[in-house]
Amino acid sequence: MNQSLNLAFPKNITVVIKREDLIHPFISGNKFRKLKYNLLQAKEEGAATLLTFGGAYSNHIAAVAFAGKEQGFKTIGLIRGEELASKIQDNPTLKFAQECGMEFEFITRENYRLKEESSFIDDLKKKWGDFYLIPEGGTNALAIDGCKEILTENDADFDYVCCAVGTGGTISGIIDSALPHQKVLGFPALKGDFLQDEICTFVKNNNWELIHDYHFGGYGKITPELVTFINDFYKQTKIPLDPIYTGKMVFGIMEMIKKSYFQENAKILLIHTGGLQGVAGMNTKLKNKKLPLIQIHD
Ligand SMILES: Cc1ncc(COP(=O)(O)O)c(C=O)c1O
């Protein structure tokens, strides 16, 4: 569903947001797109178990846990950070995943870095038996195929399509399904130049650019300014944003409009990729630090 932003923009600019966050209550936004063909493939291979990786507040972990419960797969989550093993009940994401039936293995940050190595995967198979492996963030070729379904023929009029970037899978699907006159702008939620090369390995088209100015210090980092922006945006539009991905992207777009990045009459489509389950975890951290909370409910 595309929703126009009822805000005043200069230069007759139009901004519309695609509410992918509303696709599914628990497998929201890009997670639904990324899992769609992976779940079909897992079934075709006769897999009984899905195994995947993620951090403490991972949207992907929550989505895989729920999808497994809904579709009859056992799910295993390898979680970055051994210290989290004793904190499941204090972590809304892990608690939810566990309630969906996900079993966890908590691993050190060093071991987490080995997660793509075949000897590491072989050891996992010895421990857990056979499984269908879904990479961190859900990004693989099948996930990108799913993300190619985000844009539809009704989106042909837009000049720009904008989305948040984590592992690069979502934007890759969007890049290769965008029309030749459309420019795709990606807003990395983390620091570093490696994403440019990573995305190049996935895509055919070159109608895209990464905007590196709105990561707010890096992955999972936020500032009071971002929290205020998300809260004000909700008050004005009733659209909830998450602080890790979509909040940073929408903040960036609003700044770029102010700085005259876009031409007269530009039509901009923002992709809301979900991630709202992560707000509870972020608010727990903000509360502990006695900082203002994200308020995206009436
Ligand atoms: C809510 C949300 N938006 C955007 C992204 C970025 O997607 P990708 O990892 O495919 O770049 C993620 C991470 O997967 C996410 O959870």
Side-chain angles (χ1 to χ4, degrees), residues 85-111:
S86 60
K87 295 183 184 145
I88 298 172
Q89 293 312 309
D90 306 325
N91 179 312
T93 301
L94 297 179
K95 190 162 176 266
F96 171 80
Q98 191 176 54
E99 281 162 7
C100 290
M102 185 175 259
E103 286 180 55
F104 299 125
E105 181 169 332
F106 294 91
I107 57 176
T108 61
R109 283 162 179 76
E110 296 82 70
N111 280 345

Side-chain angles (χ1 to χ4, degrees), residues 28-31 34 58-60 136-139 147 163-172 189 195 199 219 242 244-246 271-276:
S28 111
N30 62 346
K31 299 299 166 262
K34 286 173 156 190
S58 166
N59 296 321
H60 171 67
E136 184 183 38
T139 289
C147 291
C163 73
V165 179
T167 56
T170 307
I171 194 171
S172 295
L195 273 169
I199 294 168
Y219 187 73
D242 83 292
I244 311 291
Y245 293 101
T246 57
I271 311 297
H272 193 318
T273 41
L276 297 168

